[in-house]
């Protein structure tokens, strides 16, 4: 199985990365509103993508402000907030790559700049393919 990064408008494949059942990947970026770092972690399970956790350093629009049943909000050693236990299927995962700040994909021990891979202001769709 592979994680494919596709141009949401044209369907062009930017890259493919091998993934296994239970493997994780994350996307890190600077939040456009509150200007703080955000790291969203995903898990591959049953041929689907699930969001598992979100780490952030400031509250603001677009980040969780409530802990739902089964979730835990803790602090990391560096003082960030970590919302874990989310385990919510994401049927359509996409990011708009920043025009000022970059997005970074961490997968299989690699860190990939989405600006370098896809270009600024690209809408990138993350999908699993066989």
């Amino acid at each position: 199985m592979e994680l494919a990064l596709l141009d949401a408008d044209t369907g062009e494949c930017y890259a493919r990365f091998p993934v296994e059942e239970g493997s994780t990947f994350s996307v890190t970026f600077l939040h456009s509103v509150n200007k703080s770092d955000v790291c969203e972690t995903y898990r591959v399970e049953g041929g689907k993508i699930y969001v598992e956790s979100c780490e952030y350093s400031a509250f603001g629009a677009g980040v969780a402000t409530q802990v739902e049943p089964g979730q835990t909000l803790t602090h990391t050693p560096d003082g960030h907030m970590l919302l874990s236990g989310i385990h919510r299927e994401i049927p359509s995962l996409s990011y708009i790559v920043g025009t000022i700040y970059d997005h970074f994909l961490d997968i299989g021990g690699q860190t990939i700049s989405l600006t370098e891979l896809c270009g600024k202001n690209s809408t990138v769709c993350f999908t699993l393919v066989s």
Side-chain angles (χ1 to χ4, degrees), residues 31-115:
H31 195 280
S32 61
V33 176
N34 65 23
K35 307 295 186 227
S36 67
D37 291 326
V38 175
C39 180
E40 297 173 326
T41 300
Y42 301 91
R43 176 178 303 282
V44 174
E45 190 174 300
K48 299 175 182 176
I49 298 172
Y50 289 82
V51 61
E52 294 296 325
S53 65
C54 181
E55 182 177 332
Y56 48 97
S57 58
F59 287 112
V63 296
T65 57
Q66 294 183 355
V67 178
E68 297 178 9
Q71 298 176 357
T72 305
L73 182 63
T74 58
H75 286 88
T76 64
D78 60 1
H80 289 180
M81 292 168 275
L82 177 63
L83 181 63
S84 58
I86 301 171
H87 196 69
R88 181 179 307 131
E89 182 186 347
I90 305 295
S92 179
L93 175 61
S94 62
Y95 284 92
I96 299 173
V97 180
T99 55
I100 297 172
Y101 304 108
D102 203 347
H103 285 67
F104 295 93
L105 169 65
D106 288 300
I107 187 166
Q110 303 176 69
T111 300
I112 294 100
S113 160
L114 294 185
T115 296

